[in-house]
Amino acid sequence: FDPPELHRGQLFVFEGIDRCGKSTQCENLKSSLEGVGRTVVLYSFPNRETAIGSVIDKYLKKEIDLPDQAIHLLFTANRWETMKDIQKMLLNGVTVIMDRYAYSGICYSVAKGTLSLLWCKAPDRGIIKPDCIFFLDLSPLKANRRAGYGEERYEVIEFQEKVRDQFLKIKDSSWKVINADKPTDDIAAEIYDHAVRVNNRKMKKLWI
Ligand code: FDM
Ligand code: MG
């Protein structure tokens, strides 16, 4: 008897404020894990390519406005719509890396000041629980000097401060906090060293 979970892939999540270096580090981890023979798939949330994602994209580009509740639920729906695929990959032994997940969902929405943490958490309850969460911590003042900052809806320093505070508030001891104010290669090495040691078997659901 060889349950599929025995050889399942691990789910790595990267979180942090805008321009903290998440996408770069997702790519770095992907290529270094591929370098040791793993099959790796990278997902970004929001996934702007789906029907739901195209509405989110318009909202972020300030082309449309939506109530805080409605956009929050769209971000959540955008995760739920890929859950089956992700589960299948993990059970097939594929390593999955995610650029943002439900924690961004909570922190950006709660930072608006109009929605409670409890309300924001509820719709993501039951999505696949990550095996490892990397929180790339960087001050918004440093992040805003990075290319392209300020184009999208949430890219405002005062708001990013609130988002960062929320991340620091909701993180628990299982999160791997990374000081993102360091050379890219040093960050990548720290992440890789941690990632290769993660090896969970049972697939769990978030917040259940
Ligand atoms: N964002 C992202 C949310 O507000 N909620 C979510 O659930 C997710 C996944 O969308 F400002 C915000 C975070 C960011 C914006 O994300 C677009 P990228 O990673 O910067 O494209
Ligand atoms: Mg962004």
Side-chain angles (χ1 to χ4, degrees), residues 17-21 138-151 154-158 160-161:
I17 61 168
D18 285 275
R19 313 281 156 173
C20 68
L138 187 68
S139 89
L141 273 173
K142 286 188 171 145
N144 96 319
R145 296 197 202 115
R146 300 185 172 183
Y149 191 92
E151 284 160 12
Y154 297 139
E155 292 180 343
V156 177
I157 291 181
E158 302 76 59
Q160 297 278 326
E161 290 282 6

Side-chain angles (χ1 to χ4, degrees), residues 85-118:
D85 290 347
I86 289 162
Q87 185 179 28
K88 214 156 96 192
M89 301 247 191
L90 292 170
L91 291 176
N92 281 328
V94 176
T95 299
V96 176
I97 299 176
M98 284 179 183
D99 189 339
R100 299 193 186 277
Y101 202 43
Y103 312 97
S104 279
I106 293 175
C107 293
Y108 282 77
S109 286
V110 171
K112 295 175 176 179
T114 52
L115 306 169
S116 75
L117 178 63
L118 202 64

Side-chain angles (χ1 to χ4, degrees), residues 1-75:
F1 176 65
D2 194 11
E5 285 188 342
L6 205 58
H7 306 291
R8 77 167 175 91
Q10 301 294 298
L11 173 56
F12 296 104
V13 166
F14 284 78
E15 287 286 8
I17 61 168
D18 285 275
R19 313 281 156 173
C20 68
K22 286 183 303 302
S23 306
T24 304
Q25 294 304 335
C26 284
E27 293 289 351
N28 283 338
L29 183 61
K30 180 173 189 284
S31 50
S32 41
L33 290 176
E34 283 171 346
V36 294
R38 288 208 215 174
T39 306
V40 185
V41 172
L42 181 58
Y43 281 89
S44 296
F45 289 111
N47 170 9
R48 304 185 193 216
E49 307 303 314
T50 69
I52 294 166
S54 77
V55 180
I56 295 172
D57 185 55
K58 288 196 181 82
Y59 174 83
L60 291 170
K61 290 179 174 151
K62 300 179 233 173
E63 292 166 16
I64 56 167
D65 282 320
L66 286 167
D68 296 339
Q69 291 86 346
I71 186 63
H72 182 80
L73 294 172
L74 289 178
F75 275 115

